[in-house]
Amino acid sequence: MQQTEILLTIKLQQQLFVDPKRVRLLKEIRQSGSINQAAKNANVSYKSAWDHLEAMNAISPKPLLERNAGGKNGGGTQLTHYAERLLQLYDLLAKTQEKAFEILQDEQIPLDSLLSATAKFSPQSSARNQFFGKVKRLDEKGVHCDVMIEIANFPENLTACITESSRQRLQLAEGKEVMLMIKAPWLTLHTQEPNLPNRFIATVCEIIQKGETNEVALEAGNVECFATVHHEMPLVAGEKIWVSIDPEQIVLLAL
């Protein structure tokens, strides 16, 4: 398998702040407690190491190093809390870049949507139904807010009912990308058109028996979704069926 090396560089004030060499130097200082020893471990001269540290400190929002004077073994140097967090952030960004490159290999992942691409390497949910859409309309109703969402290739817009405080926390606005998470039991199947919100017609694709319930794979438009029903409900692959979703049982995620 071909190995990919991604070198991360961070600039501040249009000047180099952090790159792999400087990160290595900071990590060696953390390990040894000495700039001189860190320079040796990083295979750079003391002057070069000092120049790098001076350049970083000159543009850093907070100090990166703390000097400890005196003591039995003389003074030493250690990283500040800010520098420790900087190293953690750098490692996190490096891992994120690696994941981002991995999704390039998967042709099914759209790269024109930050939310859908990010979701592929984010913590996974037990909710079988995960849709991506854009906010089409917001309807504030006191402490609650109805959020109408347009999902590509889905037969109907779906409306989620969330609290107004949640809307503000998610910073929802018309046109913003959102992810909808809906557990399979929250999709209700009907033999006739129900007088309920979020109703649409879907095609039964597959019926899988699981204990006392059946898991039903459905296709609405060109979107796959899943529901669970009791055995008493007769279903046949290929038939059309009505589906409804309670607006309060739709969980929204946004970046």
Side-chain angles (χ1 to χ4, degrees):
M1 181 181 293
Q2 184 179 6
Q3 292 186 341
T4 303
E5 183 180 15
I6 301 176
L7 302 179
L8 175 62
T9 298
I10 300 175
K11 287 187 175 183
L12 289 179
Q13 303 173 25
Q14 299 182 336
Q15 299 180 59
L16 176 63
F17 181 45
V18 175
D19 65 0
K21 290 183 179 180
R22 292 182 175 182
V23 166
R24 168 80 185 279
L25 182 59
L26 289 176
K27 288 182 176 181
E28 293 294 349
I29 292 174
R30 179 175 61 188
Q31 181 69 24
S32 66
S34 163
I35 297 177
N36 186 40
Q37 186 60 47
K40 294 178 180 178
N41 295 344
N43 296 317
V44 297
S45 67
Y46 180 82
K47 182 181 185 305
S48 178
W50 187 254
D51 288 344
H52 280 301
L53 294 171
E54 283 284 288
M56 293 175 69
N57 273 310
I59 59 175
S60 176
K62 296 182 179 180
L64 298 173
L65 302 176
E66 291 179 348
R67 300 298 300 271
N68 296 325
K72 181 178 179 180
N73 298 319
T77 302
Q78 65 182 23
L79 302 186
T80 63
H81 180 66
Y82 178 79
E84 292 283 3
R85 285 179 55 81
L86 176 62
L87 290 180
Q88 290 178 331
L89 175 64
Y90 188 90
D91 289 341
L92 180 63
L93 290 174
K95 291 176 182 178
T96 301
Q97 285 196 123
E98 290 175 5
K99 289 291 185 180
F101 190 80
E102 288 177 12
I103 70 173
L104 176 64
Q105 317 305 319
D106 191 340
E107 296 288 345
Q108 297 182 348
I109 302 176
L111 296 181
D112 58 351
S113 168
L114 177 62
L115 181 60
S116 61
T118 303
K120 296 301 179 180
F121 56 84
S122 296
Q124 298 301 302
S125 165
S126 61
R128 289 298 308 273
N129 302 295
Q130 299 181 10
F131 309 136
F132 297 92
K134 292 184 178 182
V135 175
K136 188 172 183 179
R137 191 175 73 219
L138 296 166
D139 186 8
E140 298 180 16
K141 297 180 177 180
V143 297
H144 292 91
C145 180
D146 286 345
V147 185
M148 180 183 289
I149 301 147
E150 183 177 21
I151 302 170
N153 301 316
F154 203 74
E156 300 288 340
N157 296 326
L158 293 182
T159 297
C161 180
I162 63 175
T163 63
E164 174 60 20
S165 59
S166 293
R167 183 198 69 79
Q168 295 178 11
R169 180 166 49 83
L170 294 174
Q171 298 181 337
L172 296 185
E174 291 185 11
K176 181 162 185 173
E177 284 188 318
V178 292
M179 177 179 178
L180 298 80
M181 298 175 59
I182 312 165
K183 297 183 70 172
W186 296 348
L187 271 67
T188 305
L189 306 188
H190 310 267
T191 55
Q192 296 181 344
E193 181 179 5
N195 186 22
L196 295 170
N198 293 337
R199 61 184 183 272
F200 55 91
I201 292 179
T203 302
V204 177
C205 297
E206 186 179 8
I207 304 165
I208 305 170
Q209 293 188 359
K210 290 190 174 181
E212 298 180 354
T213 60
N214 290 337
E215 182 178 80
V216 184
L218 304 161
E219 187 175 81
N222 291 327
V223 178
E224 186 180 42
C225 51
F226 299 89
T228 55
V229 298
H230 291 287
H231 293 314
E232 291 78 11
M233 187 173 193
L235 294 170
V236 179
E239 73 171 305
K240 303 289 186 180
I241 194 161
W242 281 95
V243 184
S244 68
I245 305 172
D246 187 336
E248 293 188 356
Q249 291 183 318
I250 298 177
V251 178
L252 296 183
L253 289 82
L255 292 177

